[in-house]
Amino acid sequence: MEHYIAPSLLSADFGRLAEEVAASEKAGADMHHLDVMDGRFVPNITIGPPVVAAVKRCAGIPLDVHLMIVEPERYIEAFAEAGADVITVHAEATPHLQRAVARIRELGKKPGVSLNPSTSLSAVEWVLQDVDMVLIMSVNPGFGGQAFLPSSLAKIELLRSQLNRAKLDVDIEVDGGIKVDNVGEAISAGANVIVSGSGIFGTPDYGKTIEQMRRNIRRAASTKT
Ligand code: DX5
Ligand code: ZN
C-alpha cells in the first residue's frame, strides 16, 4: 500500500502562502491539504475557492480539499473549478451523501468522505463503493494544533478490516494531532494518508520533519501483519 503525507496548510503562514506551498513541496509533501471551514459546520472560518485557486496556481502536487461546511453539495463545482484534485465532504454535513460524492466523481475529481470523532463507521457503509478515500478525524474539526484522540485508532482498524473484507481499495486518511511521534500508530492501525498541520509547519525544518515521519511510517508499515 502506498503511503502519502499531506501537510495541512492551515498551520502555514497565510501571509506567505506561495512560499509555504513551495517549502512544503521541497520538503517532500505528496499533496497539499486545504481546510475549508464555514463557521457553521465548525466554529472556525478559513478559506474558500479563491484561495484554493491561488494555491493551485503555484502548486506542483495535488490539492486535497477538506470541506468542513454545511450543504457541501452547493460548493462542489466551485472547488472543482478552483483546482481541487480530491474533494472530501463530511457525512454529517449532508443528508444526500451519495449524491454529493457521485457529483464529485462526475466532475472528474476524487471523492472522499469524512467522519467526526463521534460518528460511527455505519455513516459511510453504503458509500464505500463510491469513494476513493475515507477521512477519519482524530480531533474535532475546527482548529489546528489539537491533541490526537486515541479512539480514532480503533476506528481506523475496524474500517481497514471492513474494506479488506469487501476487497475495496480505498485510502484511509487520518487528520488531527498527528506528529512524528504518533504517525506510526496511525499507519499500524491501517491509515495510509497522513495529514499533519502543526506537526510539520510548527517545526523549524519541514524537510527534516517529513523525513522523520517517513522513517516512522516505513517502520510501522514493515512490522504490520
Ligand atoms: C482540523 C483540520 C486539520 C488541521 C490539522 O479541523 O481538519 O486538517 O489542520 O491540524 P493539526 O495537524 O495541527 O492537528
Ligand atoms: Zn483537514
Side-chain angles (χ1 to χ4, degrees):
M1 175 167 293
E2 295 274 333
H3 297 96
Y4 304 96
I5 296 181
S8 166
L9 288 168
L10 187 61
S11 290
D13 180 351
F14 273 40
R16 300 169 34 251
L17 197 48
E19 284 168 50
E20 293 277 66
V21 165
S24 183
E25 292 184 15
K26 191 162 170 253
D30 296 306
M31 47 191 161
H32 298 293
H33 184 84
L34 291 113
D35 290 299
V36 175
M37 305 186 189
D38 65 353
R40 293 189 61 210
F41 183 69
V42 290
N44 199 6
I45 301 178
T46 56
I47 60 166
V51 177
V52 173
V55 171
K56 187 69 178 183
R57 285 195 292 274
C58 60
I61 56 176
L63 304 192
D64 172 33
V65 175
H66 178 192
L67 299 182
M68 286 159 277
I69 63 177
V70 295
E71 297 173 21
E73 52 276 8
R74 294 173 59 204
Y75 295 96
I76 287 170
E77 274 82 3
F79 284 101
E81 238 167 72
D85 296 281
V86 183
I87 301 179
T88 297
V89 298
H90 267 263
E92 305 88 354
T94 173
H96 302 293
L97 187 58
Q98 202 283 334
R99 182 184 285 153
V101 295
R103 183 72 187 128
I104 295 167
R105 177 86 69 206
E106 231 173 63
L107 292 166
K109 310 298 177 183
K110 293 185 171 183
V113 59
S114 181
L115 296 178
N116 285 337
S118 64
T119 305
S120 174
L121 287 177
S122 60
V124 296
E125 186 177 358
W126 299 105
V127 294
L128 289 178
Q129 311 266 359
D130 304 310
V131 298
D132 286 346
M133 186 171 86
V134 178
L135 195 182
I136 301 293
M137 287 306 303
S138 43
V139 297
N140 288 292
F143 305 94
Q146 303 181 83
F148 180 81
L149 295 170
S151 59
S152 54
L153 292 174
K155 201 175 186 179
I156 291 168
E157 261 175 49
L158 185 58
L159 175 60
R160 183 54 77 196
S161 68
Q162 288 173 358
L163 290 169
N164 286 345
R165 217 173 310 130
K167 296 193 167 42
L168 288 172
D169 182 19
V170 171
D171 289 327
I172 300 182
E173 182 171 57
V174 59
D175 183 6
I178 300 280
K179 321 249 175 227
V180 168
D181 297 350
N182 61 0
V183 67
E185 292 175 64
I187 296 295
S188 300
N192 70 306
V193 183
I194 301 295
V195 177
S196 179
S198 53
I200 293 172
F201 288 105
T203 65
D205 186 338
Y206 308 161
K208 211 163 137 195
T209 304
I210 290 181
E211 196 186 298
Q212 288 169 339
M213 280 188 174
R214 283 208 201 277
R215 201 175 309 138
N216 290 347
I217 289 171
R218 269 197 304 274
R219 194 172 302 149
S222 71
T223 55
K224 240 169 74 183
T225 46

